[in-house]
Amino acid sequence: MWFMIAVLSAVVFGATGFLMKVSQMAKGSLQHLLFGLYLTGALGFYVNSLFEGNMILNDWSLWLAGLLIGLGSAGGNLLFMKVLEYGPASLSSPLMNMYVVLIVLVSTWYYKEPLSLMELIAITFIFISIVLISVRKEPITIKEKKWYLLIVCVILLFAVRNGGLKVTEEMGMANTQILFLSYLLSCIWFGWTAWKAKESTESIRVGLKWGAIAGLFSYGGLQLYAFALAIGKANVVIPIFATNSLVMVFGSILLYKERLNQLQKVALFFLLLGLIFIRA
């Protein structure tokens, strides 16, 4: 059961990235897109917490966890945009995905989660798929030395974002509340930046519309991801969840008639191999 939930979480959360691309193609405001995304996402987690009957926010540890995971999400995305200013995406994107390896190592050795040979092979195939899907054909040149520090920070922030829920789950904390707080704090931040941004009315409207829709998928994907972590092994669930970027690729193929390049075809092959080996 955990396997299907993990795959579904990747598909649903991946739709978020695709909808963000739709907004970008329609020239929507990025700041308003992110504000709309975190707003509806926060509302989704709030309603979910009410149904669970655990919307209690007087515990400082919940706020701290929400702040750290929110920082990992919003901060990681913002810093990654800076990384792309100083270095090529063909090198930056594959290195950014090293957070997957970091989380798998922590889950296996610190939390003592067993990992069979077949699962190890499967994780390797999935990681190869994640790296290949993000490779771009461009000159590999580093413009600034600060790129090296920034890429390390991005890896650590994304590790906090995706691995933090494993830590809080082990601590017996309510992950739905934590996700609500992380999205709420991010919503406040991007609400402020959106208010300061000087954009056209049409750009704002487009950004808010697609951001609001993307936020619902972001909420659904992360809620499923948290559930998969609760019943499955993080060192396997997290690599599966990290394949969510493939949804944007295939969505672009269907909607914008983009074609799979050779590396993306190889990435799909390794992804399928990885999923087969996990279920073997």
Side-chain angles (χ1 to χ4, degrees):
M1 182 179 179
W2 67 265
F3 173 76
M4 292 307 300
I5 294 173
V7 171
L8 186 58
S9 73
V11 172
V12 175
F13 190 78
T16 305
F18 172 66
L19 292 171
M20 291 175 73
K21 177 167 184 175
V22 172
S23 177
Q24 181 188 40
M25 297 293 286
K27 302 188 184 306
S29 165
L30 175 61
Q31 301 301 329
H32 290 82
L33 166 78
L34 293 170
F35 170 66
L37 186 156
Y38 283 109
L39 175 63
T40 55
L43 288 173
F45 290 118
Y46 177 75
V47 172
N48 208 122
S49 291
L50 290 179
F51 274 107
E52 292 178 358
N54 62 357
M55 183 46 77
I56 302 171
L57 302 178
N58 58 356
D59 186 344
W60 68 268
S61 62
L62 287 176
W63 284 90
L64 179 59
L67 176 63
L68 290 174
I69 291 176
L71 180 64
S73 176
N77 286 320
L78 287 172
L79 276 187
F80 187 62
M81 292 168 63
K82 295 296 294 182
V83 163
L84 294 179
E85 291 180 14
Y86 299 126
S90 56
L91 181 61
S92 303
S93 295
L95 283 177
M96 176 268 290
N97 287 308
M98 287 299 294
Y99 78 85
V100 176
V101 176
L102 185 60
I103 297 173
V104 169
L105 290 175
V106 171
S107 299
T108 303
W109 275 283
Y110 184 78
Y111 288 110
K112 308 302 181 183
E113 291 184 343
L115 197 61
S116 68
L117 177 60
M118 295 295 280
E119 288 174 334
L120 181 60
I121 294 172
I123 290 169
T124 302
F125 285 154
I126 290 173
F127 181 71
I128 292 172
S129 172
I130 295 168
V131 170
L132 290 178
I133 206 69
S134 60
V135 170
R136 303 287 184 272
K137 290 185 178 180
E138 58 179 329
I140 307 235
T141 56
I142 308 301
K143 300 176 183 178
E144 297 277 351
K145 289 184 178 180
K146 63 179 70 174
W147 177 89
Y148 296 97
L149 175 61
L150 286 172
I151 195 66
V152 171
C153 290
V154 167
I155 293 170
L156 293 176
L157 285 169
F158 281 145
V160 170
R161 182 192 69 178
N162 283 27
L165 293 177
K166 166 63 179 177
V167 176
T168 53
E169 176 68 33
E170 291 289 333
M171 295 173 65
M173 301 172 72
N175 275 338
T176 302
Q177 290 184 54
I178 291 170
L179 286 168
F180 163 67
L181 291 172
S182 69
Y183 269 56
L184 176 64
L185 294 170
S186 297
C187 176
I188 294 171
W189 169 258
F190 285 113
W192 179 70
T193 59
W195 180 71
K196 287 183 60 181
K198 295 180 180 179
E199 305 278 359
S200 68
T201 302
E202 179 62 16
S203 177
I204 291 172
R205 185 189 68 79
V206 171
L208 284 175
K209 179 182 76 172
W210 289 112
I213 298 172
L216 296 177
F217 283 93
S218 182
Y219 147 72
L222 282 177
Q223 193 67 62
L224 289 167
Y225 171 62
F227 185 40
L229 284 177
I231 62 176
K233 297 187 298 183
N235 54 8
V236 180
V237 170
I238 290 172
I240 293 175
F241 180 74
T243 62
N244 61 75
S245 57
L246 287 164
V247 175
M248 184 174 70
V249 173
F250 293 118
S252 299
I253 291 168
L254 293 174
L255 186 61
Y256 298 112
K257 308 304 179 183
E258 296 181 3
R259 288 187 174 185
L260 281 175
N261 60 37
Q262 291 302 315
L263 283 178
Q264 289 170 336
K265 290 178 182 178
V266 175
L268 178 59
F269 173 72
F270 274 107
L271 172 63
L272 293 176
L273 275 182
L275 295 178
I276 290 170
F277 270 72
I278 282 180
R279 298 307 296 161

